[in-house]
Amino acid sequence: MKLPKLEQPQRYAGLYIFDFGDQAGVGFTAEEVAELLESERYREGRAYKIHRAYPDGRLEIKGVSAQTFQLESGMLFYSTAAEQAQGDFKRLVAAAVTAEPPCRAKVQLARYADDRFAVALIYPAEYEEEVSAWLLACEYRTAGAAEGGVGVIERYYRDAPEIVERHQLFGVSEGISRTGDELLTSLRRAVQR
């Protein structure tokens, strides 16, 4: 895969490279990659996330499976006390007001049949690392156990606990994502942004 020379390569950290097979484009957002992979024409394309970009133009990239863009991941923060769980829920929502999360996410306060509680933070799987970094930067802490990942969220949906409270978080935009014809007309450009 041959990549173009980038001006200010640091701007591309967190964005994606999409390999069409005959050419590659640099600077796609996660939403744009998801749309391309959902299309009949580009579903065989390969996506790479740019983790680091250096001033000399070198890029650290990691392949991201097409399946990742179709999944939800998240974290569950458990508690045995309703008051503790309510406090965990409110602190997580407040953290998003102080520092926007890296993507759209939902927060749910759930009660299980055995009177356990969980605060669920659910987001697109392609944002695993960014959400983890955001939680660390916000210094979000709980007193109970925590677990995370795609399988954890699949199990959470399967268990279907009672949702006591919910809140939608709106994330920092990684750039304006193009859709439909606007996205398709720009695909032949080697540098997208």
Side-chain angles (χ1 to χ4, degrees):
M1 172 172 61
K2 183 162 175 59
L3 299 177
K5 181 175 167 74
L6 300 173
E7 291 185 28
Q8 300 178 332
Q10 300 91 317
R11 292 180 352 161
Y12 294 88
L15 293 174
Y16 291 80
I17 297 168
F18 196 86
D19 185 356
F20 295 93
D22 61 339
Q23 65 137 39
V26 179
F28 290 97
T29 65
E31 290 84 3
E32 291 167 346
V33 171
E35 184 172 338
L36 290 171
L37 291 170
E38 287 173 6
S39 74
E40 184 71 27
R41 185 171 181 189
Y42 300 111
R43 71 172 183 230
E44 298 300 322
R46 301 193 56 103
Y48 301 87
K49 185 165 189 175
I50 302 169
H51 285 277
R52 289 188 188 88
Y54 300 97
D56 65 1
R58 290 179 298 131
L59 301 175
E60 285 184 25
I61 63 174
K62 179 180 176 185
V64 181
S65 74
Q67 187 180 32
T68 299
F69 290 92
Q70 300 168 356
L71 298 173
E72 283 185 315
S73 189
M75 301 277 306
L76 294 181
F77 305 98
Y78 296 103
S79 177
T80 56
E83 300 79 27
Q84 178 66 43
Q86 184 70 39
D88 292 344
F89 177 84
K90 287 180 178 177
R91 276 194 316 284
L92 187 54
V93 170
V97 172
T98 304
E100 290 178 305
C103 62
R104 179 179 272 233
K106 52 189 171 187
V107 181
Q108 298 177 349
L109 174 57
R111 179 182 14 231
Y112 287 87
D114 61 0
D115 273 341
R116 282 181 309 132
F117 293 87
V119 173
L121 174 62
I122 304 167
Y123 48 85
E126 62 267 24
Y127 287 98
E128 284 275 0
E129 294 171 11
E130 291 88 346
V131 171
S132 293
W134 173 73
L135 287 169
L136 288 171
C138 293
E139 298 181 357
Y140 182 71
R141 306 259 191 282
T142 63
E147 62 178 339
V150 170
V152 168
I153 297 306
E154 288 173 349
R155 186 179 71 236
Y156 173 75
Y157 285 139
R158 205 173 37 250
D159 292 347
E162 174 192 358
I163 307 301
V164 177
E165 198 168 344
R166 66 183 77 226
H167 191 85
Q168 178 71 50
L169 305 181
F170 296 94
V172 174
S173 175
E174 56 185 26
I176 308 270
S177 292
R178 300 158 296 172
T179 59
D181 289 339
E182 183 183 7
L183 175 60
L184 294 176
T185 59
S186 68
L187 293 183
R188 290 293 167 195
R189 292 193 327 231
V191 179
Q192 295 293 311
R193 293 186 155 60

